[in-house]
Amino acid sequence: MGMFQRDQQIFADAAPLDDSYEPEDIRERDDELEKYQRALQPVIDNRPTSNIFLYGKTGTGKTVATKFMLSHLEADAATYDDVDLSTVWVSCENLSSSYQVAVALVNEIRESQNKEKISTTGYSQQRVFDILYDELDALGGTVILVLDEIDNIGHSDDILYGLPRARSNGYVDEVRPVIIGISNDFKFRENLSPKVKDTLAEKEILFPPYDANQLRSILKPRAEKSFHDGVLADEVVPLCSAFAAQDTGSARQAIRLLREAGELAQANDCESVSEDEVRDAQEELEKNQLYEGMQELTTQGHAVLCALAYHQSLEEVPIRSSDLYERYTKICERLDADSVSERRVRDHLSDMNMLGLISVYEHNEGLSAGRYHEYELDVPLTAVLDVLLSTNRFKDLADIIESTADDNNLLQSDLSDY
DNA sequence: CGTCCACGGGAATACGCGGCGT
DNA sequence: ACGCCGCGTATTCCCGTGGACG
């Protein structure tokens, strides 16, 4: 027997548990789909179509619903000779400005035509918009531009101003652009600049978080397809649903939980998946998220984290930012690295707070001490040290902190509940 | 009601990059 | 080939502010 053997006790076909899986029917979103269909109907009727914006947290079915609607729309449009429809899909996940979105749109169109892509930097914004208008005009007909995770562009929303008015401004005349914006942020519309808000005619569809019952109904068919019969204990799907509903109401989270539970069972050579695996999976996923959050910090972020870990190991927490800053500068000196301003460190701390890595306690003691914050780690010290040890720069320091913490017997207690 | 102090928003600046015009 | 320009990212600089205290 080789080292790797195929183990098919648990999974029959794990594809339905993959992020990229597209189910043939969308469950628990009847109202939203009906609205969606009505909003897209004008495309088939060759009437002007308004822009459509979908709002809802991650994992509430926005993207899947859009893929579903568009594939039907494309298929149906093809049966009418006089309907000329193309769609362009851009994920704005890593795009933080209108400029980058415009470049991405151009390149997406060019890629589908095997034309050469343009550079992501160097042009003026207007220039990129002009190129985009040319490409759109060349496509002609109705072009649906899907901007997934559009809230990433923040306040840089020029593209939402330019595209809808391209036709009336005479930049294009062969094409009717329709924007489908998908936003994780309910407040995205409020934060748009006034001129965009006024001109962006749009239909809004809200995707609320799923409750536990809905998640169960979404999970069930996927579970049946991906696991062998009788492998899943009855309580597994309801428990995954309950965990995810409690936390975020995200179908993606529920599905990941189910897959992770299955993978754990498989790794442990279990014949079935039970409640225990789901609980372990939940812990495992949470832990991974924190690790990833820490690993993706910049060197400066790591230095700040390191300073906090240092004080944590001495049990000098929670600690005021001014004291933490002193430690931080010493650490930078020692590493022969540049240090940044106190203001900037506050930004890093606030980022880390967002990621759930640290806790912040606000104080206001008026005349005696004014306003200040105190910080402490919200993740086990061992986890922080693991990450720091794995980076070349902080390896030595992390070693020292580890031994300090060891002297204070801080690590044992951490390990037991970690 | 004035005072205190870090917080945090926002403008200004530094720097690097790649395309463009000459 | 060269310097310039507009862009993104990270940072610094400036300053108004919350709100308990006295």
Side-chain angles (χ1 to χ4, degrees):
Chain A
M1 268 302 181
M3 193 159 103
F4 297 99
Q5 304 161 37
R6 184 167 296 173
D7 183 347
Q8 289 180 330
Q9 286 182 57
I10 300 287
F11 290 110
D13 170 17
L17 301 181
D18 199 88
D19 280 346
S20 60
Y21 179 72
E22 291 173 35
E24 59 270 21
D25 67 320
I26 312 270
R27 315 192 68 158
E28 306 292 337
R29 285 297 182 224
D30 292 349
D31 295 349
E32 290 80 3
L33 288 178
E34 200 190 311
K35 247 187 167 176
Y36 212 158
Q37 189 185 341
R38 254 183 289 142
L40 287 172
Q41 182 62 41
V43 174
I44 295 292
D45 301 343
N46 265 330
R47 290 186 287 125
T49 310
S50 44
N51 302 306
I52 305 168
F53 273 71
L54 314 184
Y55 295 95
K57 301 243 172 73
T58 52
T60 49
K62 304 180 300 296
T63 304
V64 148
T66 301
K67 288 199 172 136
F68 177 81
M69 292 306 298
L70 289 186
S71 68
H72 279 278
L73 185 66
E74 280 167 351
D76 294 344
T79 65
Y80 295 93
D81 291 340
D82 59 342
V83 178
D84 179 8
L85 170 71
S86 14
T87 62
V88 184
W89 188 297
V90 163
S91 166
C92 307
E93 194 180 359
N94 300 309
L95 313 175
S96 58
S97 69
S98 280
Y99 181 93
Q100 293 179 336
V101 171
V103 172
L105 283 170
V106 169
N107 283 339
E108 184 65 28
I109 296 171
R110 292 205 168 183
E111 188 173 28
S112 66
Q113 303 170 349
N114 290 319
K115 284 204 280 183
E116 201 166 332
K117 296 191 184 181
I118 62 171
S119 160
T120 54
T121 55
Y123 304 100
S124 71
Q125 173 160 298
Q126 195 49 54
R127 179 133 196 166
V128 177
F129 281 15
D130 288 342
I131 299 174
L132 176 58
Y133 294 146
D134 285 348
E135 294 292 343
L136 288 177
D137 233 5
L139 283 175
T142 301
V143 178
I144 295 184
L145 304 160
V146 184
L147 305 177
D148 202 353
E149 305 194 37
I150 182 68
D151 46 312
N152 257 336
I153 67 167
H155 295 276
S156 159
D157 50 16
D158 299 353
I159 190 146
L160 297 180
Y161 182 73
L163 270 178
R165 322 176 92 239
R167 199 181 172 88
S168 55
N169 283 349
Y171 294 124
V172 297
D173 36 47
E174 302 298 328
V175 70
R176 278 207 291 249
V178 175
I179 301 176
I180 296 183
I182 303 180
S183 168
N184 294 324
D185 182 0
F186 286 110
K187 282 183 278 183
F188 178 63
R189 185 161 208 293
E190 291 173 32
N191 294 335
L192 290 174
S193 59
K195 66 170 189 177
V196 174
K197 240 188 281 186
D198 289 346
T199 45
L200 190 65
E202 56 178 28
K203 295 220 160 70
E204 295 183 14
I205 308 175
L206 297 181
F207 284 66
Y210 295 110
D211 65 28
N213 288 330
Q214 294 171 320
L215 288 175
R216 266 210 294 272
S217 134
I218 293 167
L219 240 46
K220 209 171 163 221
R222 300 207 193 201
E224 279 166 6
K225 272 188 205 155
S226 47
F227 290 92
H228 284 300
D229 288 347
V231 161
L232 281 188
D234 288 346
E235 66 270 20
V236 168
V237 165
L239 194 59
C240 290
S241 309
F243 273 140
Q246 240 173 47
D247 191 12
T248 57
S250 149
R252 185 176 304 153
Q253 189 188 4
I255 292 164
R256 282 195 182 152
L257 202 47
L258 181 60
R259 185 181 56 195
E260 182 70 23
E263 282 172 3
L264 281 177
Q266 191 170 68
N268 295 334
D269 274 338
C270 299
E271 285 160 18
S272 62
V273 185
S274 73
E275 202 178 318
D276 291 341
E277 275 81 33
V278 178
R279 292 184 194 284
D280 290 348
Q282 165 82 351
E283 256 183 55
E284 184 69 21
L285 290 180
E286 264 176 28
K287 203 168 85 181
N288 283 347
Q289 206 184 341
L290 293 176
Y291 264 95
E292 270 164 37
M294 280 193 277
Q295 251 149 6
E296 281 164 14
L297 293 174
T298 61
T299 305
Q300 289 300 332
H302 281 143
V304 175
L305 191 62
C306 183
L308 189 52
Y310 178 91
H311 285 284
Q312 193 93 28
S313 75
L314 295 169
E315 301 188 275
E316 294 169 354
V317 284
I319 182 172
R320 287 184 60 146
S321 57
S322 53
D323 298 333
L324 187 67
Y325 184 68
E326 270 184 46
R327 180 96 271 136
Y328 156 82
T329 47
K330 280 183 191 152
I331 286 176
C332 287
E333 243 173 73
R334 200 192 160 108
L335 291 174
D336 208 18
D338 294 334
S339 58
V340 298
S341 66
E342 210 162 340
R343 174 71 189 84
R344 184 68 189 127
V345 167
R346 281 204 290 275
D347 279 341
H348 283 299
L349 285 167
S350 139
D351 287 349
M352 281 156 53
N353 185 37
M354 290 290 185
L355 290 172
L357 299 176
I358 64 176
S359 300
V360 185
Y361 308 100
E362 292 178 35
H363 296 268
N364 194 331
E365 290 173 28
L367 273 183
S368 46
R371 189 152 92 103
Y372 63 94
H373 285 182
E374 286 189 322
Y375 303 89
E376 76 176 321
L377 286 181
D378 200 27
V379 291
L381 183 54
T382 47
V384 176
L385 292 174
D386 272 357
V387 171
L388 292 178
L389 279 168
S390 70
T391 67
N392 281 330
R393 245 182 154 156
F394 290 90
K395 196 173 182 311
D396 298 342
L397 270 171
D399 258 334
I400 296 168
I401 297 172
E402 188 163 37
S403 56
T404 321
D406 216 9
D407 293 343
N408 291 330
N409 292 321
L410 285 176
L411 297 180
Q412 279 75 5
S413 55
D414 269 347
L415 284 172
S416 63
D417 60 39
Y418 200 53

